[in-house]
Amino acid sequence: MARTRAAPAADAHHPSLSGLRAGTLDRLAKLGIRRRFDLVLHLPLRYDDETQLCPLSQVMPGRELLVQGTVTDCDIKYRPKRQLVCRIGDGDGELTLRFLNFYGSQVKALAPGTVLRVFGNVRLGHFGPEIVHPRYRVVADDTPVAQALTPVYPTTAGLGQDALRRLIARAMGDEALDDTLPQPLLDALGLPSFADAVRLLHNPPRDIAQVVLQERVHPAWRRMKFDELLAQQLSMRVHYQRRRAAGAPALTARGKLVNALLQRLPFQLTRAQNTVLAQIREDIGQTHPMQRLLQGDVGSGKTVVAALAVLQCIENGFQAAVMAPTEILAEQHYRKFSEWLEPLAVTVAWVSGGIKKSDKKQRLIDISTGQAQVTVGTHALFEEEVVFKNLGLAIIDEQHRFGVHQRLALRTKGTTSNKGAQPHQLMMSATPIPRTLAMSYYADLDVSVIDELPPGRTPIVTKLVSEERRDEVIQRVRDACVAGRQAYWVCPLIEESETLQLQTALDTHAHVQQTFPELRVGLVHGRMKGAEKQHAMAAFQSGELQLLVATTVIEVGVDVSNASLMVIEHAERMGLSQMHQLRGRVGRGAAESVCILLYQGPLTPTARERLKIIYENTDGFEIARHDLKLRGPGELLGARQSGVPMLRFADLAVDLDLLDAARDAAEQLLQKQPEAAKAHLARWLGGRNEYLKV
């Protein structure tokens, strides 16, 4: 499970952790432990069974065992390499202990005649059974064995298990373990008390089957998972309520510009587009800020919905901003918005890091005076010098690629220009988010889904082709281009990597030019200058280039309806979401489109599973559901989702019933028992505001 971000070491010096050394505090902070109660919530990864001694005559290789014996011999050996070898016996059997890394003092500590209690994984060595690097301690002959399973905790370098166990045991004795939740709620869900659950998990009796602890299905684990999910849901709902209480400009539906664009479009909106557009138009007409996530698979038509929302904003005399994570995607939006809005006398400005200083200065003036009604750009929109006159709507595309603080920065620009009122925010994502993930990590957002593609789109045929059949692929590319279609050839790296030995965009471009002297071939990769990329993309969009060799910079934002073939090199090394996004660059016209996944064997089990999923599925939400199972929520959301309380204990793939219960309970507690909700948040989040999404 992904772990919460560690606070700076200074934050760890909390009064409740007083008395500990600075080094210990720093190590605890790395584990997310900043207060004494965090030790209570630092639950074991697994357990060792040290409750039964196994006679040395009965030890079996391949098992973790607790044994006891008297040292008969201990010496440093130098073959095959320097190591400490110790022999113990109990009268009926013998066992070798082998230490590859050791201190000189251990030789004295393990002197013959010393009684040792040893735990570890037994294997068969050259001289019989042995344990390499066992855990051991010196004992008396009659020292009793443990009555509970031994917890093994997540830890960090310099903080041993014994030290961590002592700190946790002390915290368990000092801290109040009273319940934050009402008993009727626990009874209805069949959950134990918090004190019983947490005591059992830190100190489980030996008669509990290890499998129910390891699989985290024991009622004590279910209680901790529920509490964690409830804290997350409460934090999201609290933020949702705060947002609803904030002011925002009411961008009421007037209709003149919106209707004008609808009449000019060469296509009709789909049922799904009309549904989500109605939701957005109603939201931005309210006096509290919209915070809506618009999901739609690649090619579902999110951009035109965003453009219609922008026009409603402009009709009310406010400005709109459209932000995208890459220059290619941002420029694609700029072209689209200019094409649609400028004939309606709407001024669209472009801001990116690559524009000339003189051009940028004029655009900044246009934005600050309100002359620019729509501003489209990349991260450059965050810069302090970008000042809006009256920002009413901020649209963030591929929002998961931006950090929490970046999204807040854009909203703050609106707050400044609107005398405290926040702009409405529409976040768009072509990376479908599974329902469980949306329920958990986007509980503070309203979610709209465009769940159908525009008519006239032909399904994309996906083919898995081994590297050994590259010649057939080359012929297929030639045939498509000669027939008047266009094609992409996607490579994962720009420069040769000695470790990965992947085909590179630069080499592929040179090779393809040699192979297809009759074709016009272009190249796009992330290290090209913005103007070079734009020139190559424009040439491909106009049909001047027939084949475009590219890295994954074309993953989003490229829309060429004549492109009907894509080859993806080393598909075995790409993630599901990325392959699905890339595949969506073809199939945008009426011609049958094909995506060839060129892979190199031998395949790992994970790579084989990914290729099977992408081959069998074209629905982005189904692919995302599989992705969640394979990668977990932390990777699927992206590292930039800092500020979201990542789940340490609950697993969204198996704990959906607890998530549903936590959602309902959060609503009930906030309405009827706000003090209980406050106490629960304080216990689990410690009042740390970084857990509240913005």
Side-chain angles (χ1 to χ4, degrees), residues 37-276:
F37 205 88
D38 289 339
L39 286 164
V40 173
L41 297 177
H42 193 69
L43 299 179
L45 278 172
R46 58 182 177 84
Y47 301 90
D48 290 336
D49 187 352
E50 299 181 35
T51 63
Q52 290 182 315
L53 279 172
C54 177
L56 291 179
S57 59
Q58 296 177 23
V59 297
M60 296 284 290
R63 292 181 59 197
E64 276 195 330
L65 296 171
L66 181 71
V67 297
Q68 185 169 309
T70 303
V71 177
T72 58
D73 180 60
C74 185
D75 199 9
I76 298 173
K77 308 287 185 185
Y78 291 90
R79 290 184 180 178
K81 56 184 175 181
R82 187 174 183 268
Q83 54 187 292
L84 178 63
V85 179
C86 179
R87 298 276 292 172
I88 61 170
D90 64 359
D92 294 317
E94 285 192 324
L95 180 71
T96 301
L97 311 180
R98 201 176 294 278
F99 302 88
L100 305 180
N101 299 305
F102 60 93
Y103 298 104
S105 58
Q106 279 179 268
V107 181
K108 290 182 181 177
L110 300 176
T114 307
V115 179
L116 297 181
R117 187 161 292 168
V118 178
F119 184 84
N121 196 30
V122 181
R123 72 177 193 180
L124 196 59
H126 291 300
F127 305 102
E130 66 178 24
I131 301 179
V132 178
H133 282 297
R135 192 164 74 237
Y136 71 91
R137 61 192 176 105
V138 177
V139 295
D141 278 327
D142 58 352
T143 301
V145 295
Q147 296 301 300
L149 299 176
T150 305
V152 179
Y153 294 100
T155 191
T156 188
L159 186 61
Q161 287 291 329
D162 287 342
L164 197 48
R165 288 184 191 118
R166 285 194 296 271
L167 288 170
I168 290 170
R170 193 183 312 155
M172 290 286 290
D174 293 346
E175 294 294 299
L177 304 179
D178 304 343
D179 243 299
T180 54
L181 303 181
Q183 192 60 42
L185 173 62
L186 300 179
D187 292 341
L189 296 171
L191 295 174
S193 72
F194 178 80
D196 287 348
V198 80
R199 284 187 183 123
L200 183 141
L201 291 176
H202 284 298
N203 202 31
R206 63 184 179 186
D207 58 350
I208 289 183
Q210 278 236 41
V211 67
V212 298
L213 294 173
Q214 204 62 44
E215 298 293 326
R216 298 187 173 185
V217 293
H218 189 279
W221 265 121
R222 282 180 62 80
R223 171 63 203 265
M224 305 314 288
K225 290 176 176 185
F226 175 77
D227 277 23
E228 179 184 44
L229 287 165
L230 179 59
Q232 187 196 51
Q233 292 297 307
L234 284 169
S235 72
M236 298 289 189
R237 297 307 298 173
V238 166
H239 180 66
Y240 184 84
Q241 290 176 356
R242 284 180 190 164
R243 177 169 55 78
R244 298 281 289 191
L251 309 175
T252 55
R254 298 175 189 270
K256 186 180 176 184
L257 287 174
V258 172
N259 291 333
L261 178 56
L262 285 171
Q263 287 169 13
R264 288 181 57 86
L265 290 174
F267 53 83
Q268 296 279 316
L269 296 189
T270 63
R271 173 200 54 79
Q273 284 174 310
N274 277 313
T275 299
V276 300

Side-chain angles (χ1 to χ4, degrees), residues 331-351:
E331 189 180 358
Q332 177 76 20
H333 283 320
Y334 174 64
R335 289 175 184 276
K336 282 283 186 189
F337 276 78
S338 299
E339 176 191 331
W340 288 333
L341 306 191
E342 286 184 348
L344 306 178
V346 173
T347 308
V348 183
W350 162 250
V351 176

